[in-house]
Amino acid sequence: MIFPLEVLFGQLLVGAILLGGLYSLVTIGLALIFGVMRILNIAHGEFIIFGAYTAYWITSLMGVDPLLAIVLAIPVSAFLGYIVNRLLIRGVTKSFDAPIVSSFGLLLIMQASMLIAWTGDPRSIVTPFTAESIHVGPVLLPIIRLIAFAVSITILTLLYIFLSKTYLGRAIRAISQDSESAATLGIPVQKIQTFTFVLSTVLAGISGGLVALLLSFQPTFGPEFLLKSFVVLALAGVGNIPGVIAGGLILGIGESYGSFFLGSGLRNVVAYAMLIILLLARPRGLFGGRAVREV
Amino acid sequence: MSLQVRNLTVEYHRDIEILRNVSLNVEKGLVTALIGPNGAGKSTLMKTLSGLLKPKHGDIYLDGVRLNDLPPDERVKHGLAVVLQRRSVFPQLTVRENLQLGGWRIRRDQRLFEDTFSEVINLFPDLKPRLDDKASSLSGGQQRMLEIARSLMTRPKVLLLDEPSAGLSPLMVKLVYRHIKELKDLSITIFLVDQNIQQCFSVADYLYVLELGEVKGGGSKMELSASLSDLIRGWLYLEQGGKVGGG
Ligand SMILES: Nc1ncnc2c1ncn2[C@@H]1O[C@H](COP(=O)(O)OP(=O)(O)O)[C@@H](O)[C@H]1O
Ligand SMILES: [Mg+2]
């Protein structure tokens, strides 16, 4: 088989990068929670899918514009995040394992609840420009992917500025570097952890809304996004935001080329393979060393 | 009277009491030191006072306010600050950012915040040229200075210092103690733990002796110095006896 270069390095690459930007946003909530609370939130993917459904229902029941629906879904994600943090995370954070177990329980509860409430039918959000593209030279840029990419990168940039330039943002980073020492300086660690947890679920929700614009989704798709987030974090190395963006792009490229050459059925296999290779090559593991410590 | 500790008992694991009925007073404006061999429980006491550990029983009062049930950040509001024994700078933040975060409590009062910042930086002029460097790039001694300076950003009434000179070069030890004397002159109440007995004696007004989790006595410098050599001989025995771990 011979593929024209312009397909290989044009269309395919551009599509991969646009998807990769969204993967970065998909990941960042997981990285934030791990950095600030040392909790591996196994239910991260469910927050994404919940965000997808919330945006879906807002747009289809209220008839509002899909992008506006994603914005309107923010308080819903925030509320869910607050409740989950209150009931499941606080109080059990003393032990490292407990939140992993309880977040796995949360995964099952959320998945089952969404299946019961909304069935397993695949859904997606159709927009007026779902089928539209713009031509740039020989390359077609699907508008919807451009939007998802632009929104993702904009949010990540704003988050980066927030974490590095604002006082609260620096306190968040301080907690992720040494929460005990932050507490002894009068920084209200628990309040800020709650804030970060809610922020993370909001970011997951927004990324879910964008996913819903691009792909069809079901209640059971959460773990797939958890897997993608793991791959991005394994790629990101030192878990800073530029690293997460780079990791997202690499995953997007890996998946796109993988499914192009191997068939789209193997898309997730490519992600798994990337994860396994990374873990073998970096035996300290996903969160070894300083990875993800510093968000 | 500033800080009062009454019958404090602390354990990490059930029924292994690391501190037993510890009572002591830290008087306002003075330097009170706690000396004792490795593993005596000095750091455990500091962590309990600052709120990082919960006591099994006993009480902690700061100027009459009971601190027991307050988390560490609330205790800072009441004027308690601590410099932990371990390294505790935020390594990936700059020296300036580290200092600024010490001012969380006063962050909304810009005037006070900036005045405090310049007071602190004037006390620690060595940090000035390093303000925009990452804290991790400082030497061990400089990081120690930063930790002390950062704790002053909370504008404490009482400052707890856990082994401020441990692991530092003799020159740095001198510098740290010069700073401690400066703080004393600013009438900040200090509760100090250090293995460096000589320096402890040079700065402290009153000393307590802690052995195996119990206060074995206390006294002014004069009162204690007579029995000092016996004390230290006893500690060497304790430390080598394998009864207690390192700390
Ligand atoms: N996190 C901990 N868990 C269990 N035991 C501890 C812990 N920290 C200290 N210890 C034990 O408590 C005792 C006192 O330690 P520490 O307070 O650090 O002593 P010091 O500061 O006087 O050297 C030691 O026997 C030590 O092994
Ligand atoms: Mg100690």
Side-chain angles (χ1 to χ4, degrees):
Chain A
M1 271 191 290
I2 295 169
F3 303 100
L5 278 184
E6 64 196 49
V7 172
L8 272 186
F9 295 104
Q11 194 61 51
L12 196 58
L13 185 61
V14 169
I17 289 173
L18 294 182
L19 189 62
L22 178 57
Y23 285 168
S24 314
L25 188 64
V26 158
T27 305
I28 197 69
L30 186 72
L32 265 178
I33 292 178
F34 187 80
V36 175
M37 303 174 89
R38 294 289 180 276
I39 290 172
L40 193 53
N41 180 19
I42 305 290
H44 178 63
E46 278 57 44
F47 285 97
I48 295 171
I49 299 301
F50 181 78
Y53 272 104
T54 311
Y56 173 82
W57 287 118
I58 290 176
T59 190
S60 54
L61 294 181
M62 296 165 59
V64 297
D65 178 84
L67 289 175
L68 182 61
I70 293 175
V71 175
L72 293 176
I74 288 176
V76 183
S77 292
F79 181 72
L80 179 71
Y82 182 80
I83 296 295
V84 164
N85 182 62
R86 197 60 200 256
L87 296 182
L88 280 169
I89 309 292
R90 274 170 64 175
V92 288
T93 45
K94 291 264 146 44
S95 129
F96 185 77
D97 308 331
I100 292 191
V101 175
S102 63
S103 74
F104 187 66
L106 180 64
L107 178 160
L108 298 175
I109 292 168
M110 285 180 71
Q111 205 175 76
S113 311
M114 290 192 286
L115 268 172
I116 292 167
W118 302 320
T119 75
D121 297 345
R123 321 250 183 195
S124 60
I125 297 179
V126 181
T127 70
F129 31 85
T130 290
E132 302 288 317
S133 294
I134 26 179
H135 289 262
V136 178
V139 179
L140 272 178
L141 298 179
I143 289 179
I144 207 77
R145 286 193 178 215
L146 266 181
I147 292 174
F149 179 82
V151 170
S152 299
I153 299 298
T154 305
I155 289 175
L156 289 169
T157 307
L158 291 175
L159 184 66
Y160 180 78
I161 293 170
F162 167 68
L163 289 175
S164 53
K165 302 285 186 237
T166 70
Y167 196 73
L168 178 60
R170 286 172 187 157
I172 290 175
R173 289 168 61 212
I175 291 172
S176 81
Q177 287 166 40
D178 190 336
S179 61
E180 217 176 55
S181 142
T184 62
L185 294 173
I187 297 173
V189 171
Q190 210 175 56
K191 268 191 204 154
I192 293 182
Q193 284 178 332
T194 299
F195 171 81
T196 309
F197 194 91
V198 171
L199 176 66
S200 301
T201 53
V202 164
L203 291 169
I206 295 174
S207 73
L210 295 172
V211 163
L213 297 178
L214 261 57
L215 316 163
S216 76
F217 59 94
Q218 289 165 233
T220 50
F221 276 16
E224 188 177 312
F225 288 99
L226 181 69
L227 168 70
K228 290 190 204 300
S229 305
F230 280 165
V231 179
V232 172
L233 288 185
L235 281 162
V238 180
N240 51 25
I241 290 177
V244 168
I245 293 178
L249 296 182
I250 296 172
L251 174 63
I253 290 169
E255 269 195 12
S256 300
Y257 282 77
S259 58
F260 182 77
F261 288 113
L262 306 173
S264 59
L266 292 179
R267 180 173 276 269
N268 284 331
V269 176
V270 174
Y272 269 115
M274 286 171 81
L275 183 60
I276 289 167
I277 291 167
L278 278 161
L279 291 180
L280 289 175
R282 294 192 43 197
R284 279 185 307 164
L286 201 53
F287 300 110
R290 290 236 309 282
V292 229
R293 278 277 161 84
E294 239 275 275
V295 178
Chain B
M1 191 171 298
S2 202
L3 188 67
Q4 269 182 295
V5 178
R6 288 289 164 268
N7 299 316
L8 205 63
T9 297
V10 182
E11 53 188 31
Y12 291 99
H13 303 291
R14 188 178 287 266
D15 295 333
I16 306 176
E17 294 177 347
I18 301 294
L19 294 179
R20 254 187 316 280
N21 288 318
V22 168
S23 295
L24 46 82
N25 296 327
V26 175
E27 302 284 341
K28 207 176 220 96
L30 301 183
V31 175
T32 304
L34 178 71
I35 54 177
N38 250 325
K42 305 182 295 297
S43 295
T44 302
L45 177 60
M46 291 304 215
K47 285 188 219 158
T48 311
L49 295 179
S50 59
L52 297 172
L53 286 176
K54 285 216 183 316
K56 188 177 168 195
H57 58 75
D59 296 297
I60 304 162
Y61 295 94
L62 179 61
D63 286 339
V65 180
R66 190 168 181 270
L67 298 183
N68 284 49
D69 303 319
L70 299 179
D73 55 291
E74 296 280 335
R75 296 185 193 201
V76 177
K77 280 188 205 158
H78 289 277
L80 191 75
V82 63
V83 174
L84 300 171
Q85 179 174 354
R86 63 172 180 84
R87 282 284 101 87
S88 64
V89 298
F90 304 121
Q92 303 300 316
L93 298 182
T94 66
V95 171
R96 186 193 306 278
E97 290 167 339
N98 266 274
L99 288 172
Q100 286 171 338
L101 285 168
W104 174 273
R105 190 169 69 84
I106 54 169
R107 70 192 184 286
R108 297 234 164 81
D109 186 339
Q110 202 176 345
R111 199 49 201 288
L112 184 64
F113 189 93
E114 272 157 25
D115 289 351
T116 309
F117 189 90
S118 40
E119 276 168 42
V120 165
I121 246 343
N122 286 337
L123 277 172
F124 293 85
D126 294 349
L127 293 177
K128 211 172 203 164
R130 307 298 306 272
L131 278 176
D132 294 310
D133 296 337
K134 274 194 180 176
S136 59
S137 74
L138 300 182
S139 71
Q142 288 168 327
Q143 291 193 21
R144 203 34 127 189
M145 300 295 177
L146 174 56
E147 287 162 1
I148 299 174
R150 191 179 62 175
S151 73
L152 294 177
M153 284 294 296
T154 68
R155 302 186 65 87
K157 285 192 278 191
V158 180
L159 179 58
L160 314 178
L161 295 170
D162 193 353
E163 309 242 5
S165 72
L168 302 185
S169 70
L171 213 66
M172 266 295 171
V173 173
K174 266 193 188 150
L175 191 57
V176 166
Y177 272 87
R178 219 176 61 211
H179 282 303
I180 293 176
K181 279 169 197 143
E182 278 174 3
L183 300 183
K184 183 180 177 178
D185 294 340
L186 290 172
S187 66
I188 293 176
T189 307
I190 292 174
F191 186 44
L192 170 72
V193 163
D194 212 323
Q195 298 272 349
N196 191 326
I197 306 292
Q198 198 189 346
Q199 292 288 359
C200 253
F201 266 75
S202 79
V203 70
D205 299 293
Y206 197 91
L207 297 97
Y208 287 97
V209 178
L210 189 74
E211 281 178 15
L212 294 170
E214 293 183 48
V215 174
K216 279 284 153 34
S220 68
K221 218 184 303 194
M222 298 294 264
E223 290 165 342
L224 270 187
S225 46
S227 54
L228 186 64
S229 54
D230 283 344
L231 265 177
I232 293 179
R233 213 166 306 136
W235 296 353
L236 287 176
Y237 170 75
L238 279 179
E239 285 186 4
Q240 285 163 3
K243 288 191 200 164
V244 280

